Amino acid sequence: MIKLEHVTKKFGKLTALSDVSLHVGEGEKVVIIGPSGSGKSTLIRCINRIEEPTEGEVFIGGELVTKKNALNIVRRNCAMVFQSFNLYPHMSVLQNITLAPMKLQHKTKREAEEIAYKYLDRVGLRDKASARPSQLSGGQQQRIAIARALATQQKIILFDEPTSALDPEMVQEVLDVMVSLSQESITMIVVTHEMGFARQVADRVIFMDDGAIVEEGEPDAFFENPKNERARLFLSKIIR
Amino acid sequence: MKSMSPIAWWRFELLFSDWRLFGKAFLVTLAVSGLSLALALILGMIFGLLSRSKYRVFRIIARVYVELFQNIPLVIIAFFMFNALPYANIMLSTMTIGALGIGLYHGAYISEVVRAGIESIPQGQFEAANSQGFSYFSTMIHIILPQTITIILPPLTNQAVNLIKNTSVLAMISGGDLMYRANSWAASGSSSYAPALIVTGALYFIVCYPLATAARAYEKHIINAGLVTAATEDAIVAVTDSE
Ligand SMILES: Nc1ncnc2c1ncn2[C@@H]1O[C@H](COP(=O)(O)OP(=O)(O)OP(=O)(O)O)[C@@H](O)[C@H]1O
Ligand SMILES: [Mg+2]
């Protein structure tokens, strides 16, 4: 489904990603962990072309997307959920969710709202349809952001630390939504340090350090017995 | 014997007996204000957007426009159109000069307000829109500009107030506006400058004061509603402080 070949991303002199190759199968759930600045965000932002790789190639569904005019292929296939939610504050929850289906997928208002309510039900927030994002808690905002991402019905969903901006008591409600989502055939790449979540849903855990993938494996094997020294050090720090 | 005091009552009576003249001049000022504000808003929006373009040449064009008109006196623009352009066989009415000149001049300030407003929208909004597949243009139309307009309405209103006051530049080219009328009426008659200036000043005031007050009230409202922070609002206002 997603294939990165020798992807390098530089910001000026700084190399955020160096020669990363990665293959993610259709329907696979991949969790990415690693210390701050290791390039996790940059990696998933290169997949949906918010960042342009400096070198290397990205394929989605067999199609090369790191070329001119390929953005539409990415947008047809990838949705993204951000650490800071990024809901549109001037719109109601319902408008947030229906905007892209209506403007980009040319659905009628009725169709778009039908889809929106379906996903509002999924995240358990149907009664917030007419609220403004600013009236919602962080956890609720992130669940709406997930509903917004789902409403365009793409095959891939990327999460960049979806729970790390949340108060601790709100983390679980968002993780619950993501766990239930993982039961579906959608391809998920999740940057997160939530080990419980990773063990529960991930087919594979990827550990990044210094712009490179330094270890990957099944979650149980990885968390219990990481082979890489830096991965071991990192895990010892975050597991309390 | 008539009192020679500059604010003697008979001077006011004389003024009120000529109220039609002042009424007409007031309308000229309002018309020039309206036309030049419309032009300034259009120019400000266009150049404000150009200054955020990903193409360097557009950013340069916007920069040149802004710097040019922010760094010359408005009077130069008016005199240029009034005294210099006729030698190129371009004769403009004073009304046109007012609309064009003041529009161009304030368009530069409004452009900076628009630019600062767009820049104050968090990067995450652009990224969310981008990740959903919105083009630059539809991102602006559906997501960025609606938020920008809320934020920049108070500084835009302040610009409108400055613009209205600046229409008084027309007095220097016999533009028939309020300022011109006040001065020429007093000069050509009884030298009743004080009443003329007090009354026309009051007319400017009754237009500008409600606008300025409304801008402050709206600013307070959007800050309280959490749509913008006071610091952001201050930063946007500050870009036009060079005026
Ligand atoms: N737009 C940018 N301009 C310049 N440098 C950047 C940019 N984005 C990321 N970087 C740099 O690239 C490196 C990798 O950043 P990235 O955000 O991918 O790390 P991360 O693993 O997601 O970290 P975190 O856990 O803090 O989110 C960092 O050194 C960061 O400072
Ligand atoms: Mg990150």
Side-chain angles (χ1 to χ4, degrees):
Chain A
M1 188 84 240
I2 304 169
K3 204 162 77 181
L4 277 74
E5 291 197 332
H6 306 291
V7 170
T8 293
K9 174 68 187 178
K10 294 182 179 161
F11 294 105
K13 285 208 180 92
L14 188 136
T15 304
L17 282 184
S18 60
D19 195 23
V20 170
S21 295
L22 173 67
H23 208 130
V24 178
E26 184 153 6
E28 200 181 351
K29 323 292 180 219
V30 175
V31 162
I32 303 178
I33 68 170
S36 180
S38 57
K40 307 178 298 292
S41 297
T42 307
L43 176 69
I44 64 172
R45 290 155 68 91
C46 280
I47 293 174
N48 82 342
R49 291 270 313 267
I50 290 182
E51 302 288 2
E52 200 89 27
T54 316
E55 282 165 47
E57 285 165 347
V58 178
F59 297 85
I60 292 180
E63 290 183 273
L64 180 64
V65 297
T66 37
K67 63 175 185 206
K68 272 211 153 78
N69 306 323
L71 262 180
N72 61 327
I73 304 171
V74 184
R75 302 301 179 236
R76 251 194 353 253
N77 288 290
C78 275
M80 182 150 174
V81 174
F82 301 84
Q83 181 174 355
S84 50
F85 331 135
N86 299 345
L87 293 175
Y88 307 133
H90 60 300
M91 295 178 181
S92 71
V93 161
L94 190 64
Q95 287 168 325
N96 262 277
I97 302 175
T98 55
L99 186 71
M102 281 167 63
K103 300 293 174 199
L104 299 173
Q105 301 177 333
H106 307 293
K107 299 227 158 60
T108 64
K109 192 167 176 215
R110 251 191 75 203
E111 292 168 334
E113 287 185 351
E114 210 168 290
I115 296 169
Y117 279 113
K118 177 176 145 197
Y119 289 108
L120 278 172
D121 281 337
R122 287 271 335 234
V123 301
L125 289 170
R126 172 181 272 263
D127 57 325
K128 299 292 182 196
S130 56
R132 290 279 165 143
S134 59
Q135 298 168 317
L136 305 179
S137 72
Q140 290 172 330
Q141 289 191 52
Q142 193 61 298
R143 283 149 68 194
I144 298 299
I146 294 173
R148 180 176 72 178
L150 293 174
T152 40
Q153 302 180 308
Q154 282 128 319
K155 297 197 198 85
I156 302 167
I157 185 163
L158 309 170
F159 291 86
D160 191 358
E161 305 206 32
T163 58
S164 44
L166 297 176
D167 293 338
E169 71 271 20
M170 293 172 186
V171 168
Q172 199 54 46
E173 62 186 74
V174 172
L175 290 179
D176 287 344
V177 167
M178 294 169 63
V179 169
S180 90
L181 189 60
S182 71
Q183 258 110 64
E184 295 185 10
S185 61
I186 193 166
T187 306
M188 289 169 75
I189 301 185
V190 185
V191 177
T192 184
H193 292 156
E194 295 293 336
M195 300 305 148
F197 172 80
R199 281 177 177 236
Q200 195 176 348
V201 311
D203 298 311
R204 183 157 45 129
V205 173
I206 287 176
F207 177 77
M208 290 187 70
D209 194 22
D210 232 354
I213 295 176
V214 294
E215 182 164 348
E216 53 184 299
E218 299 211 331
D220 288 338
F222 174 78
F223 288 122
E224 264 143 46
N225 191 15
K227 293 180 209 69
N228 181 279
E229 186 51 41
R230 284 178 296 184
R232 202 170 304 160
L233 198 67
F234 177 73
L235 287 178
S236 72
K237 271 191 236 155
I238 61 166
I239 293 173
R240 284 146 295 194
Chain B
M1 213 186 85
K2 275 206 257 186
S3 160
M4 288 311 288
S5 159
I7 53 166
W9 183 244
W10 63 267
R11 295 186 189 275
F12 282 93
E13 283 175 339
L14 206 57
L15 176 74
F16 293 135
S17 72
D18 277 338
W19 71 271
R20 272 170 216 282
L21 279 178
F22 285 85
K24 195 163 160 255
F26 188 41
L27 290 182
V28 170
T29 290
L30 289 182
V32 170
S33 299
L35 289 171
S36 55
L37 182 60
L39 177 63
L41 285 172
I42 292 167
L43 290 174
M45 190 57 87
I46 292 172
F47 284 99
L49 282 172
L50 288 185
S51 71
R52 298 285 304 155
S53 166
K54 63 177 169 182
Y55 301 108
R56 209 173 122 82
V57 47
F58 287 139
R59 294 200 303 271
I60 292 173
I61 291 170
R63 204 66 234 153
V64 167
Y65 166 69
V66 167
E67 293 299 343
L68 177 64
F69 285 99
Q70 281 196 342
N71 291 294
I72 56 174
L74 177 54
V75 191
I76 298 259
I77 305 169
F79 276 7
F80 186 86
M81 290 180 169
F82 189 67
N83 290 327
L85 285 188
Y87 291 97
N89 268 329
I90 302 173
M91 312 280 196
L92 301 173
S93 70
T94 51
M95 181 81 104
T96 310
I97 291 175
L100 275 181
I102 299 165
L104 276 167
Y105 179 80
H106 278 279
Y109 287 95
I110 292 179
S111 163
E112 284 291 88
V113 171
V114 171
R115 180 181 63 76
I118 293 173
E119 281 170 4
S120 77
I121 305 296
Q123 191 58 29
Q125 292 289 306
F126 290 89
E127 287 177 2
N130 182 0
S131 80
Q132 285 204 290
F134 287 102
S135 66
Y136 173 79
F137 187 75
S138 24
T139 300
M140 282 295 168
I141 295 292
H142 297 301
I143 293 144
I144 306 301
L145 289 182
Q147 297 183 55
T148 306
I149 286 166
T150 308
I151 295 175
I152 67 177
L153 209 52
L156 277 188
T157 310
N158 291 336
Q159 276 299 306
V161 169
N162 285 334
L163 177 147
I164 292 166
K165 292 188 293 181
N166 278 343
T167 57
S168 58
V169 74
L170 282 183
M172 307 193 75
I173 56 170
S174 311
D177 68 309
L178 257 188
M179 186 65 231
Y180 168 78
R181 182 51 64 208
N183 202 53
S184 70
W185 177 83
S188 64
S190 57
S191 297
S192 298
Y193 287 101
L197 294 173
I198 289 168
V199 168
T200 51
L203 288 174
Y204 283 109
F205 186 86
I206 61 170
V207 178
C208 293
Y209 180 72
L211 282 175
T213 308
R216 268 195 301 276
Y218 185 71
E219 179 174 344
K220 212 179 251 164
H221 165 73
I222 58 176
I223 289 171
N224 288 340
L227 294 169
V228 64
T229 64
T232 306
E233 205 61 31
D234 287 348
I236 297 172
V237 172
V239 301
T240 58
D241 270 359
S242 55
E243 198 174 6

